[in-house]
Amino acid sequence: MSAPRLSRVAAFALAVLAGGTVAASAAQDAPVKADPRVKAALVALKYKFTLTSSNNYQVEFTLKDKRTQAVFINSATEKFGKLEIREVTSTAYKVQGALSAADANRLLLDNDKRKWGGWRTVEEEGTTYVLYAVQLPATADAATLDNAIDAVMYTADDMEKEITKADEF
């Protein structure tokens, strides 16, 4: 694993993005605590990780061609009926301002190929971040979390390489 290469602003934005969806925030007065279920799974997988300022788990991977990709596993969860859901995300790229209609359409068409997860955009202070996200049961075992990590990591990195030719995230 290599050291993160993100600027402080980009790291902050990613921590915000990894904090969960907008719906999960306003009602929570207390900060989210790091979820020990995620820690146990990451330890079982022998992954090195850090905690973000939002108490989400960040894992940095070194991929083929020495590319790197950061993956975030949310400690915060949401309920859908009786199901408790956790989100795993990885950022592919960013653009200044809004995403173009052509890029948005490209992501929607790419979603059709995916079996698990989907593309989304998050705007933060004039920058639009494009990330791939997978939702899974918060009680998922280590092998299932590992599959979710692989899904977001490889999908986001492939899109980053295709669109930007860079290795920022």
Side-chain angles (χ1 to χ4, degrees), residues 3-19 50-60 70-72 74 89 91 94 122 124-125 127 129 131 168-169:
R5 294 171 288 125
L6 303 174
S7 71
R8 289 180 137 196
V9 172
F12 172 76
L14 287 173
V16 169
L17 296 176
T50 57
L51 285 174
T52 69
S53 61
S54 303
N55 284 326
N56 296 311
Y57 292 84
Q58 178 178 350
V59 185
E60 289 272 337
V71 174
F72 296 87
N74 286 0
T89 63
T91 304
K94 66 182 179 182
V122 178
E124 179 72 29
E125 297 183 11
T127 300
Y129 293 87
L131 56 142
E168 182 177 358
F169 297 102

Side-chain angles (χ1 to χ4, degrees), residues 116-128:
W116 193 17
W119 291 105
R120 76 164 53 142
T121 62
V122 178
E123 292 184 36
E124 179 72 29
E125 297 183 11
T127 300
T128 300

Side-chain angles (χ1 to χ4, degrees), residues 86-110:
R86 175 179 324 286
E87 189 166 61
V88 179
T89 63
S90 188
T91 304
Y93 64 99
K94 66 182 179 182
V95 297
Q96 292 304 308
L99 197 63
S100 72
D103 283 347
N105 192 50
R106 178 186 196 155
L107 295 173
L108 285 171
L109 289 170
D110 191 74

Side-chain angles (χ1 to χ4, degrees), residues 67 92-93 103 106-107 110 113-114 119 154-167:
R67 293 181 59 79
Y93 64 99
D103 283 347
R106 178 186 196 155
L107 295 173
D110 191 74
K113 297 186 235 176
R114 306 296 164 190
W119 291 105
Y154 289 116
T155 304
D157 187 63
D158 286 347
M159 186 64 74
E160 178 184 30
K161 185 171 23 173
E162 184 180 326
I163 298 290
T164 71
K165 312 285 189 263
D167 186 21

Side-chain angles (χ1 to χ4, degrees), residues 35 37-38 41 73-88 116-117 133-149:
D35 190 328
R37 298 173 291 185
V38 175
I73 303 102
N74 286 0
S75 286
T77 61
E78 294 186 45
K79 295 280 187 170
F80 184 80
K82 293 183 180 181
L83 183 61
E84 183 185 11
I85 300 170
R86 175 179 324 286
E87 189 166 61
V88 179
W116 193 17
V134 164
Q135 295 79 30
L136 68 157
T139 57
D141 63 14
T144 303
L145 179 61
D146 196 33
N147 286 332
I149 288 169

